[in-house]
Amino acid sequence: LAKTTQPISMDSYEGQEVNITCSHNNIATNDYITWYQQFPSQGPRFIIQGYKTKVTNEVASLFIPADRKSSTLSLPRVSLSDTAVYYCLVGAEGYSTLTFGKGTMLLVSP
Amino acid sequence: NAGVTQTPKFRILKIGQSMTLQCAQDMNHNYMYWYRQDPGMGLKLIYYSVGAGITDKGEVPNGYNVSRSTTEDFPLRLELAAPSQTSVYFCASSQTLNTGELFFGEGSRLTVL
């Protein structure tokens, strides 16, 4: 299983773009990269998933370089409501084996 | 569309008591999961199911049991509750096992005293 490393915490201000990078040096050929968001006292919520290059949806963008050893979740113009924990998951064997680590605690201030 | 529904939301147990956490999903998903989340930590998989009648252990199955008699329901049974089982429990479901979205319930906060 590919191990992931992401910052424990990040700080930002409203209106800024936030980039959270996840390292996964031993990612396998079939592995997908998935990001989840979790607010206090709630279950995680799916944000975005990708395999290579760039994926964009209405909430975020996911940038994956050619070597796929890292990925960056980009949140455009964050607001206070984006304060949450963000998890990076890597794997292809399925959710039965993917690990939610401690994630990155993003704090957005006014 | 209710998604994944968990009951109860809160429960206090005494050491040695047993209880069942209920989980139901209305999305016709084959795959269902139970996680626990301790304060300040990530989620750990307890058990999962790939379909009615089929369950398997996750990372931390000791002290728990599950059953899957229908596609919709995936109850988690705690036998002989211990303080170490104090946690928030999340049930989730997915349409596929390998990709796509995990849909989570709102969680059940359990305290064992």
Side-chain angles (χ1 to χ4, degrees):
Chain A
L1 295 175
K3 180 181 177 181
T4 60
T5 302
Q6 47 182 129
I8 293 175
S9 64
M10 293 182 67
D11 295 323
S12 183
Y13 293 97
E14 282 190 293
Q16 289 188 333
E17 177 184 73
V18 171
N19 296 310
I20 306 174
T21 297
C22 179
S23 297
H24 27 80
N25 290 321
N26 59 339
I27 188 169
T29 302
N30 295 332
D31 286 347
Y32 281 82
I33 300 159
T34 311
W35 286 82
Y36 281 82
Q37 173 192 57
Q38 186 179 27
F39 298 114
S41 301
Q42 294 186 25
R45 184 173 68 117
F46 176 91
I47 301 175
I48 198 166
Q49 185 178 69
Y51 181 78
K52 63 180 179 180
T53 62
K54 175 184 175 182
V55 180
T56 298
N57 61 22
E58 65 277 6
V59 177
S61 294
L62 179 59
F63 297 93
I64 306 170
D67 65 6
R68 302 198 330 122
K69 293 184 182 298
S70 67
S71 59
T72 299
L73 174 72
S74 181
L75 304 172
R77 297 180 299 281
V78 295
S79 64
L80 297 178
S81 62
D82 291 315
T83 293
V85 177
Y86 293 82
Y87 298 96
C88 167
L89 285 75
V90 175
E93 296 179 34
Y95 285 114
S96 60
T97 56
L98 291 181
T99 299
F100 284 82
K102 292 185 178 181
T104 297
M105 174 66 218
L106 172 65
L107 176 62
V108 180
S109 300
Chain B
N1 191 346
V4 178
T5 303
Q6 291 183 233
T7 56
K9 288 185 169 49
F10 303 93
R11 182 72 185 268
I12 298 175
L13 283 180
K14 294 182 179 179
I15 295 173
Q17 288 185 320
S18 300
M19 75 160 297
T20 299
L21 298 177
Q22 301 291 343
C23 175
Q25 53 94 7
D26 60 1
M27 296 172 282
N28 201 33
H29 288 167
N30 283 326
Y31 305 97
M32 296 188 74
Y33 317 80
W34 273 106
Y35 293 89
R36 61 174 286 173
Q37 185 173 34
D38 298 331
M41 305 297 287
L43 284 75
K44 293 186 177 180
L45 184 64
I46 306 172
Y47 270 96
Y48 69 98
S49 170
V50 299
I54 307 171
T55 63
D56 206 346
K57 297 177 180 179
E59 182 183 359
V60 290
N62 292 342
Y64 306 95
N65 280 301
V66 293
S67 60
R68 185 94 181 271
S69 57
T70 66
T71 298
E72 295 77 19
D73 300 301
F74 190 40
L76 177 71
R77 177 85 176 161
L78 280 74
E79 304 282 1
L80 300 175
S84 60
Q85 293 179 304
T86 294
S87 190
V88 180
Y89 292 83
F90 290 102
C91 179
S93 72
S94 65
Q95 188 170 23
T96 65
L97 185 62
N98 299 326
T99 61
E101 181 175 355
L102 268 179
F103 293 83
F104 282 85
E106 294 184 352
S108 298
R109 183 176 297 275
L110 175 67
T111 301
V112 181
L113 301 174

